[in-house]
């Protein structure tokens, strides 16, 4: 069985910096990506729009340049969101948007994930005019929806977790105060988040990763498969069912692909584990596997149409990205999975990390 699809956009991926960036971009292109949204939690983070803005960190302008030079000029288009921090001003947003360099901003919960130590609490942007400037100019808010600073039992407990708290308490306030703000609830993992997105207006959408469609906490804990450790953490079967239902609904316009592929050359550290699953090179295949696990028969034309909407069309429509004319082919044929060699060391793709040296789907390579 072969499915020909338009090239797709990965609307949440970590391309990092330095010598390995080229390898990560190649991995994206190899799986039919027409473009990406490249996350700004680099070292240093992307906290300015223009080089001429005051402050430390890279600018959207200069990071985009690095991406282009490392092979990203092959992309039809790509977005670099601005990393929101205490130094972000409404003027930066308006100026960046007016000059068409700024299309999105990223909220990280302070210290809540890899590279989130430069972030400021959500209230900062609610009160200092940053969200208002984004709402006014149509700049998309990419949101890592987890409450920060919680104690262990509230961070991940039987009766709730950081994501659920965020979607119950924070998101209602944001959409109430900024009703026209375009928001992407990134890498959602819970039924509560999926329901929130579902019942919000058309200006609120969400990305879902392959790992959250395929696995649960139990899969990670059994044998402690640390390659499944990413943030937000995998959740429970009930949550995975809600994500599968949202992604595979016949009328889905709000849920789309954003892999959160987050390479770590050193995944296990001396006293813990870096958060992030790497799916570069294998994501459409894993999404197809997730859709099958959700009960869709991908040899059926209607199911293919639903898959296409999730992988290829909803995302670029939300972000107003150009529709790719080129296509790629996904085939139900076993493909072997190998580590990605980079100048910084080898990175283990997720399937290998959970003990699978082959996956049921393959893509025609680019
Ligand atoms: C990401 C990373 O490694 O940069 N890790 C992750 O677990 N997803 C950061 C992020 O997007 O949260
Ligand atoms: Zn991420």
């Amino acid at each position: 069985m072969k499915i020909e699809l338009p090239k797709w956009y990965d609307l949440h991926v970590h391309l990092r910096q330095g010598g390995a960036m080229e390898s990560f971009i190649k991995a994206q292109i190899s799986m039919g990506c027409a473009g990406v949204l490249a996350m700004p939690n680099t070292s240093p983070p992307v906290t300015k729009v223009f080089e001429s803005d005051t402050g430390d960190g890279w600018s959207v302008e200069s990071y985009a340049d690095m991406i282009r030079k490392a092979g990203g000029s092959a992309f039809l288009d790509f977005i670099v969101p601005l990393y929101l921090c205490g130094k972000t001003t409404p003027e930066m947003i308006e100026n960046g948007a007016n000059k068409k360099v700024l299309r999105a901003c990223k909220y990280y919960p302070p210290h809540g994930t890899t590279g989130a130590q430069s972030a400021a609490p959500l209230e900062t942007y609610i009160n200092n005019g940053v969200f208002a400037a984004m709402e006014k100019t149509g700049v998309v808010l990419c949101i890592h929806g987890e409450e920060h600073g919680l104690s262990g039992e509230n961070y991940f407990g039987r009766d709730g977790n950081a994501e659920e708290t965020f979607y119950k308490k924070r998101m209602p306030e944001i959409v109430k105060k900024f009703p026209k703000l375009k928001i992407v609830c990134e890498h959602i993992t819970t039924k509560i988040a999926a329901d929130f997105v579902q019942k919000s207006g058309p200006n609120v959408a969400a990305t879902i990763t392959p790992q959250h469609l395929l696995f649960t906490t139990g899969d990670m804990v059994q044998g402690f498969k640390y390659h499944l450790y990413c943030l937000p953490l995998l959740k429970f079967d009930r949550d995975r069912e809600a994500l599968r239902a949202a992604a595979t609904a016949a009328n889905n316009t709000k849920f789309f692909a954003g892999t959160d592929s987050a390479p770590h050359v050193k995944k296990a550290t001396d006293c813990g584990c870096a958060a992030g699953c790497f799916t570069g090179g294998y994501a459409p295949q894993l999404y197809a596997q997730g859709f099958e696990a959700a009960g869709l028969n991908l040899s059926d034309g209607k199911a293919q149409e639903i898959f296409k909407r999730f992988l290829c069309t909803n995302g670029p429509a939300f972000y107003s990205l150009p529709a790719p004319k080129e296509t790629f082919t996904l085939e139900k044929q076993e493909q072997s999975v190998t580590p990605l060699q980079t100048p910084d060391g080898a990175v283990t793709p997720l399937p290998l990390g959970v003990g699978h040296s082959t996956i049921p789907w393959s893509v025609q390579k680019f």
Side-chain angles (χ1 to χ4, degrees), residues 287-361:
Y287 277 128
Q289 215 178 318
F291 268 60
E292 287 187 314
L296 261 73
N297 174 2
L298 285 175
S299 59
D300 172 70
K302 273 203 193 106
Q304 289 178 4
E305 210 33 60
I306 294 170
F307 183 66
K308 180 168 125 186
R309 224 172 290 152
F310 173 83
L311 186 74
C312 312
T313 41
N314 288 349
F318 191 86
Y319 276 104
S320 306
L321 287 159
K325 291 197 179 69
E326 290 179 22
T327 62
F328 78 106
T329 305
L330 195 56
E331 187 173 7
K332 187 80 185 267
Q333 168 160 22
E334 250 188 26
Q335 178 186 0
S336 60
V337 181
T338 52
L340 181 77
Q341 305 299 334
T342 84
D344 295 345
V347 182
T348 305
L350 184 60
L352 262 190
V354 296
H356 298 147
S357 55
T358 60
I359 46 175
W361 288 83

Side-chain angles (χ1 to χ4, degrees), residues 4-5 26 33 39 57 100 131 133 139 180 184 228-229 235 245 271 274 281 296 307 313:
E4 191 181 351
L5 293 160
K26 253 193 205 141
C33 268
M39 299 316 294
K100 306 220 178 304
F131 283 173
V139 170
K180 295 203 176 107
V184 176
L228 278 174
Y229 176 61
K235 298 296 187 308
C271 55
L296 261 73
F307 183 66
T313 41

Side-chain angles (χ1 to χ4, degrees), residues 12-14 16 39 41 106 108 113-114 144 186-187 231 259-262:
H12 181 136
V13 61
H14 299 267
R16 310 299 192 203
M39 299 316 294
N41 64 335
K106 171 79 183 209
Y108 282 109
T113 187
T114 309
H144 182 125
E186 300 201 293
H187 44 51
L231 294 173
T259 62
D260 198 9
S261 178

Side-chain angles (χ1 to χ4, degrees), residues 209-228:
T209 75
Q211 61 268 24
H212 293 107
L213 272 186
L214 285 167
F215 301 104
T216 64
T217 314
D219 294 314
M220 179 175 67
V221 172
Q222 209 166 35
F224 201 73
K225 297 190 190 70
Y226 65 81
H227 283 283
L228 278 174

Side-chain angles (χ1 to χ4, degrees), residues 131-208:
F131 283 173
M134 291 172 65
E135 183 182 39
K136 184 173 145 200
T137 52
V139 170
V140 175
L141 173 62
C142 305
I143 207 152
H144 182 125
E146 288 193 290
E147 187 66 27
H148 69 276
L150 296 175
S151 60
E153 65 270 27
N154 294 324
Y155 177 65
F156 192 74
R158 192 195 283 261
D159 300 320
N161 56 59
E163 181 173 300
E164 293 184 342
T165 304
F166 192 89
Y167 281 92
K168 278 192 203 158
K169 299 214 172 113
R170 303 295 191 151
M171 286 304 293
E173 186 194 347
I174 301 174
V175 295
K176 193 162 169 234
K177 288 199 167 133
F178 307 99
K180 295 203 176 107
L181 180 60
K182 286 189 88 171
I183 301 174
V184 176
C185 301
E186 300 201 293
H187 44 51
I188 58 164
T189 67
T190 58
K191 176 168 174 13
I192 285 177
D195 289 348
F196 178 87
V197 173
Q198 209 86 262
K199 70 175 196 324
S200 300
N203 55 317
V204 179
T207 55
I208 302 178

Side-chain angles (χ1 to χ4, degrees), residues 198 246-256 291 306 309-310 314:
Q198 209 86 262
T248 62
N251 57 355
N252 166 31
T253 54
K254 284 174 160 257
F255 298 89
F256 50 82
F291 268 60
I306 294 170
R309 224 172 290 152
F310 173 83
N314 288 349

